[in-house]
Amino acid sequence: MQIKTLTVVGVGLLGGSVALAARRRNAAAQIIGVDPCPGVLDRARARGLVDEATPHLSEGVRQADLVIFCTPVDRIAGQVLAAALSCRPGTLLTDVGSTKAAIVREVRAELPGHITFIGGHPLAGSEKNGPENASPDLFKDRLVVLTPTHDAPSALLQRLSDFWQRLGARVRLMSPEEHDEALALTSHLPHLLASALAGLLPPELAELTATGFRDTTRLASGLPQLWEAIFLSNRDPLLQVMEQLESRLRLFCQALRNGDPRELHDLLLEGKVARDALNS
Amino acid sequence: MQIKTLTVVGVGLLGGSVALAARRRNAAAQIIGVDPCPGVLDRARARGLVDEATPHLSEGVRQADLVIFCTPVDRIAGQVLAAALSCRPGTLLTDVGSTKAAIVREVRAELPGHITFIGGHPLAGSEKNGPENASPDLFKDRLVVLTPTHDAPSALLQRLSDFWQRLGARVRLMSPEEHDEALALTSHLPHLLASALAGLLPPELAELTATGFRDTTRLASGLPQLWEAIFLSNRDPLLQVMEQLESRLRLFCQALRNGDPRELHDLLLEGKVARDALNS
C-alpha cells in the first residue's frame, strides 16, 4: 500500500536515499523534507528528492502518515518526542539510527498513546554524505532491522515492513538489545578499528599503502560527529566486543612471539573461513 | 631494454601477472615458468602466460637473464641460493616477497659473487590466487620497492628498475629494514586486523554484516600459509605496530568508559584526516 504523505527528517545521504527510493518505487504519493540546514534543503530540492521542504519539524510532520527520522542517533529520541506533539493521531514514526536500545527506551517513556514509534535500522550506508550522494538503490537487497516493542499495532508494523520491502530491502525483526549487541560487532567495532588503524599512519608512509590498507580503513572517512554518538549510545556492547578483539589480538601476539606457525595458521584459517562465508 | 629470457619461479597470481604483463608490454622476448605443481603449469600454459614450463628450477633458470621469484617468503632465499648454482654469470635474480630484511640477509651471506640478487616488492596483490586470476595490469600505477645492497651493480639495478616501469609500475629504493618497518604498518597489520575481526564473527551474525564489515575484513580471505610466513619473517616490526595499535585502542576504550564525546571526536578525526589523505 502506498503511503500518502511521507516526511523525511534529516535529508542527508540516508534521508535523501529514502526519499529518492520512495519516489522511484512509488512508495509515497507526497514527500516532505525537514532539515534545519537551508543548504541541505536547497540541494535536496534541486535533486528533486522532495515535493516540499521546511526547516520546521512541527510544520513538516503535521500532515504525515509516516515520519522517518534520518538524523544522528543522539538527536532522534528528542526529535521523535517533539514531532509527536504536532502529529495527527495514528501517525507512524520510525528512524534509521544505527543503535536502537537507547532510542527506543527514551521514546517509549514519554510518547503519547495515540502515536506509534517503531525503531528501524537499514544496514546500508556509505562513508560519503549529503543529499548529493543519495542513491535510489541504497537499500536494494539490504537488510532492514525493525525493533518493535510488544505494544506496536501489528497493522502499523506490517505497513512499515511493506514500505521497506517496496524500497528493495529485506526486513528482519529483533529486540533493540539483540540488535545493538550484534551491530557492536558487525558495524561499530569495524568502524572503530578502521579509524584506529588509519590514525596510526604517518603521512610519509601514505605512498606505501596499497588496496589492502585502503579497504581495511575505508570506514575511517565517516563523519566523526555521527560515529562518536553511535559509539556512546552503544557503549557497553561495544566495550564488550573490544575485549573480545583484544583477546584475539593477544593470541596472535603470543603465536608471533613463540614463532609458532601452526597457531598462526589456525587463527588465520578461522578468519578466512568466516570471511569466505560472506561471499563477497 | 627488453629482457631476452625471463624466468618466473612460482606461477601463481603474482608470478602469472608478471609473466602476462611482461608479454603484453614486450618486456621479455622469452618467458619460462617454473612451478613444482603440474596443475599450475598447465593452467599457466593454457592462459599463454609462458613459452616454456618446467617443474625443475635448475633447468628453468639455466638460460635466464632475469629470474623473478614469486614464491612464499619463507621459500625465496633457499630457492635463490639453489638457482644461483645453475645460472650463467651475470644473471640478475630478484623477488616479489612481502618482507625483505630476512631474505636479503640470508641470500647475501651465501650468494656466489658472479650472481646478483636485488630484493623487490610490488605493492599490489589480491586476496585471490592462482594463474587463472593473473592480470596484465596488476602492477599498473603501483609502487614497486627495490632494496638493493650497496654492492649491487648499478647497471643491473637500472635494468630491474626499467623492467618494472615497463610493467607500468613506479619504483622506489629503500633499505630492507626500512621497507619491513613500513610494511608492518601499511600491509601486515591490516591483514592481521582483518583476520582477527573476521574470526570473531559467529555464523549466525553473518546476515547482519554490511559493506563496512566486508571491506574491513576483505584481506582475511588471503591464504593462511602465505601470511603466517610473512608475519613470522617480519615478527619484531609487526609486534611493534601491534603495540601502537593496542595503545590507540586503549585511548578509544578510555574515552568510551568516560563517556567523553570530545576525546572520541578527536580520535575519529585523526583517523579521518589520515584516511581522506589517501584519496580513494
Side-chain angles (χ1 to χ4, degrees):
Chain A
M1 202 181 70
Q2 199 192 40
I3 302 286
K4 198 158 160 272
T5 298
L6 166 69
T7 296
V8 177
V9 181
V11 196
L13 173 92
L14 277 171
S17 297
V18 168
L20 200 51
R23 184 176 295 295
R24 293 272 174 92
R25 293 163 184 257
N26 278 316
Q30 186 193 30
I31 303 176
I32 299 173
V34 177
D35 204 291
C37 174
V40 167
L41 285 183
D42 287 346
R43 273 135 61 205
R45 256 189 302 233
R47 278 204 66 184
L49 304 182
V50 296
D51 300 303
E52 286 178 35
T54 168
H56 304 296
L57 184 61
S58 57
E59 192 185 312
V61 302
R62 200 164 290 145
Q63 298 305 316
D65 300 286
L66 173 64
V67 184
I68 183 160
F69 292 82
C70 306
T71 46
V73 292
D74 54 344
R75 311 269 181 79
I76 291 172
Q79 290 176 328
V80 167
L81 293 173
L85 302 174
S86 308
C87 287
R88 297 177 305 180
T91 303
L92 173 58
L93 311 185
T94 188
D95 75 323
V96 299
S98 294
T99 61
K100 297 271 66 82
I103 292 169
V104 170
R105 199 184 317 121
E106 220 178 307
V107 166
R108 224 185 153 192
E110 299 193 39
L111 196 69
H114 63 280
I115 303 287
T116 298
F117 174 78
I118 298 175
H121 178 206
L123 273 61
S126 166
E127 72 284 7
K128 295 179 187 154
N129 43 66
E132 56 278 22
N133 289 305
S135 157
D137 291 322
L138 191 67
F139 309 108
K140 200 171 163 247
D141 300 326
R142 296 311 181 86
L143 186 73
V144 172
V145 177
L146 298 181
T147 63
T149 47
H150 68 272
D151 52 357
S154 62
L156 290 182
L157 176 57
Q158 189 58 57
R159 206 167 171 193
L160 183 57
S161 177
D162 288 348
F163 175 76
W164 278 114
Q165 289 179 64
R166 197 135 171 183
L167 266 49
R170 286 169 298 125
V171 169
R172 176 172 163 178
L173 305 187
M174 293 174 82
S175 79
E177 294 73 21
E178 196 191 349
H179 167 276
D180 285 5
E181 277 170 32
L183 273 286
L185 177 63
T186 62
S187 168
H188 311 159
L189 182 61
H191 197 100
L192 194 154
L193 274 184
S195 175
L197 179 59
L200 290 183
L201 187 76
E204 66 271 20
L205 292 192
E207 195 200 357
L208 292 161
T209 60
T211 51
F213 190 92
R214 287 160 197 242
D215 286 354
T216 313
T217 58
R218 181 180 63 79
L219 293 177
S221 283
L223 288 177
Q225 57 269 37
L226 295 183
W227 284 92
E228 78 205 42
I230 291 169
F231 288 175
L232 286 173
S233 81
N234 201 23
R235 178 162 72 164
D236 292 343
L238 182 52
L239 283 169
Q240 213 159 24
V241 292
M242 285 182 78
E243 256 175 56
Q244 286 174 34
L245 181 82
E246 211 181 301
S247 303
R248 200 161 175 87
L249 291 179
R250 264 199 301 273
L251 294 179
F252 273 100
C253 273
Q254 223 164 43
L256 269 172
R257 283 212 186 84
N258 298 339
D260 186 344
R262 189 81 184 225
E263 179 59 21
L264 276 178
H265 187 90
D266 290 349
L267 288 166
L268 288 166
L269 189 59
E270 283 175 21
K272 178 174 171 58
V273 168
R275 182 58 183 81
D276 287 350
L278 300 181
N279 276 336
S280 83
Chain B
M1 201 182 67
Q2 198 192 39
I3 302 286
K4 198 157 160 276
T5 299
L6 166 69
T7 296
V8 177
V9 181
V11 196
L13 174 93
L14 277 170
S17 297
V18 168
L20 201 51
R23 186 178 294 295
R24 293 271 174 92
R25 293 164 185 255
N26 277 318
Q30 186 193 28
I31 303 176
I32 300 173
V34 177
D35 204 291
C37 173
V40 168
L41 286 183
D42 288 348
R43 273 136 60 207
R45 255 190 303 234
R47 277 203 68 184
L49 303 182
V50 296
D51 300 302
E52 287 177 36
T54 168
H56 305 297
L57 183 61
S58 57
E59 192 185 312
V61 303
R62 200 164 291 147
Q63 297 305 317
D65 299 288
L66 173 63
V67 183
I68 183 160
F69 293 82
C70 305
T71 46
V73 292
D74 53 345
R75 310 269 181 80
I76 291 172
Q79 290 176 330
V80 166
L81 294 173
L85 301 174
S86 308
C87 287
R88 296 178 307 179
T91 304
L92 173 58
L93 311 185
T94 187
D95 75 322
V96 300
S98 294
T99 61
K100 298 271 64 83
I103 292 170
V104 170
R105 200 183 316 121
E106 220 179 305
V107 166
R108 227 188 149 189
E110 300 193 38
L111 196 69
H114 63 281
I115 304 287
T116 298
F117 174 78
I118 297 174
H121 178 207
L123 273 62
S126 167
E127 72 284 7
K128 295 180 187 153
N129 44 65
E132 55 278 22
N133 288 306
S135 156
D137 292 322
L138 191 66
F139 310 108
K140 203 173 160 243
D141 302 325
R142 297 311 182 86
L143 186 72
V144 172
V145 177
L146 299 181
T147 62
T149 47
H150 69 273
D151 52 358
S154 62
L156 290 183
L157 176 57
Q158 189 58 56
R159 208 166 171 194
L160 184 57
S161 177
D162 288 348
F163 175 77
W164 278 114
Q165 290 180 64
R166 199 136 171 183
L167 267 48
R170 285 170 298 123
V171 169
R172 174 170 165 181
L173 305 188
M174 294 174 82
S175 78
E177 294 73 23
E178 196 192 347
H179 167 276
D180 285 5
E181 278 170 32
L183 272 286
L185 177 63
T186 62
S187 168
H188 311 158
L189 182 61
H191 196 101
L192 194 154
L193 274 184
S195 174
L197 179 60
L200 290 182
L201 186 76
E204 65 272 20
L205 292 192
E207 195 199 357
L208 292 161
T209 61
T211 52
F213 190 92
R214 287 161 197 241
D215 286 354
T216 313
T217 58
R218 183 181 62 81
L219 293 177
S221 283
L223 288 177
Q225 57 267 39
L226 295 183
W227 284 91
E228 78 206 40
I230 291 169
F231 289 176
L232 286 174
S233 81
N234 201 24
R235 177 163 73 165
D236 292 343
L238 182 53
L239 282 168
Q240 213 160 23
V241 293
M242 284 181 79
E243 256 175 55
Q244 287 175 33
L245 180 83
E246 211 181 300
S247 302
R248 199 161 177 88
L249 291 178
R250 263 198 302 273
L251 294 178
F252 272 100
C253 272
Q254 222 164 46
L256 268 171
R257 283 213 186 83
N258 298 341
D260 185 344
R262 188 82 184 225
E263 179 60 20
L264 277 177
H265 187 90
D266 290 348
L267 288 167
L268 288 165
L269 189 59
E270 283 175 21
K272 178 174 170 58
V273 167
R275 182 59 183 83
D276 287 351
L278 299 181
N279 276 336
S280 82

